[in-house]
Amino acid sequence: MAAALVGSAAFYFYCQNHCLQVSRPVLDLGLDAPLRVLHLSDLHSASFGRGGRALYQMAVQLEPQLICITGDWIDAKDSAWRRTADALIQLTAVAPVVFVPGNHEHRSGRWPQIRPYLERGGVQVLCDDLLTLHTAVGPVSLLGLDERRGVTYGQYLSRRGGPAPDPYSQLFAALAQRPGPRLLLTHYPEQFCQKGGGGHSRHSFSLQLSGHAHGGQIRFPFPQGLIAPGQGLFPRYTAGLFTCRGQRLPSGSRPHGPALLVSRGLGNSFFPLRVQNRPEVILLTLR
Ligand SMILES: [Fe+2]
């Protein structure tokens, strides 16, 4: 009996940290044809299958038309980072891959080598850059933010507690002129809505994709998790869809203003345990 309990517990915790789980949110943007976007985040140099094979095969099965990666793919402590980068590069055989860095790529000190390595492999890296892709179902426009400026902006806002000069105004104004659904890629979900009316959601775009929160690590009995970097204990933005007012947005609904989608991520960093929080692969359908 005791051995069975121990075995069950071991299996449970193994799956919570190593077994992929697919989420399939839907967002109604009034598009003529649906667009399937694979959203991955926060791998932290974990490996799902040899060379990331399990993740690659899942991506093939899900048939996305676009793959968005929102940072922390490569952990700061990963000295064999090229192997982890190769697992990302192989996804370019499935669909166009767009990448924004997280705090770990920068903290590694290797970002000046990582960025050109990814770009040579066909990954489109956006650091305060705009990109319009022409997919089979029409154009989609993306703005990817570089997290170092984002941290500065977020810290500035939280110190002042209100609206501040926005270093991204010109980029958002340019994004608003682009065709198709307009996606914002940035590592930090907490910068979507800030106290006092600040945050990215005051600009005009369709959807922000973010990670960083790792699902709040322990999601039982805490609905949004126990702890997340940048949000502390009992965080708010750790998984799923949210409105620009910071409320949950049911899948399938049409948002009034920008929406936020937060990935629970695939790996761990300083907190090495997930509970009720399996590594997440998001197949988002925009329709
Ligand atoms: Fe992370």
Side-chain angles (χ1 to χ4, degrees), residues 44-90:
H44 285 280
S45 298
S47 183
F48 291 90
R50 196 178 181 88
R53 197 72 194 161
L55 198 54
Y56 174 80
Q57 286 172 341
M58 181 166 282
V60 170
Q61 280 175 16
L62 294 173
E63 299 184 330
Q65 289 139 321
L66 171 64
I67 300 175
C68 294
I69 315 286
T70 50
D72 282 7
W73 187 265
I74 296 171
D75 193 88
K77 298 187 292 293
D78 182 7
S79 56
W81 61 267
R82 285 179 180 80
R83 189 176 52 200
T84 312
D86 288 342
L88 176 54
I89 287 168
Q90 71 180 341

Side-chain angles (χ1 to χ4, degrees), residues 225-228 231-236:
L226 175 63
I227 189 167
Q231 299 185 67
L233 286 171
F234 311 114
R236 187 169 197 174

Side-chain angles (χ1 to χ4, degrees), residues 41-44 70-73 75 102-104 187 211-214 229 265 267-269:
S41 199
D42 295 83
L43 181 72
H44 285 280
T70 50
D72 282 7
W73 187 265
D75 193 88
N103 49 310
H104 271 256
H187 188 56
H212 189 51
H214 299 193
N268 296 315
S269 55

Side-chain angles (χ1 to χ4, degrees), residues 2-17:
L5 277 174
V6 169
S8 299
F11 179 72
Y12 173 81
F13 285 110
Y14 177 84
C15 277
Q16 288 301 307
N17 292 274

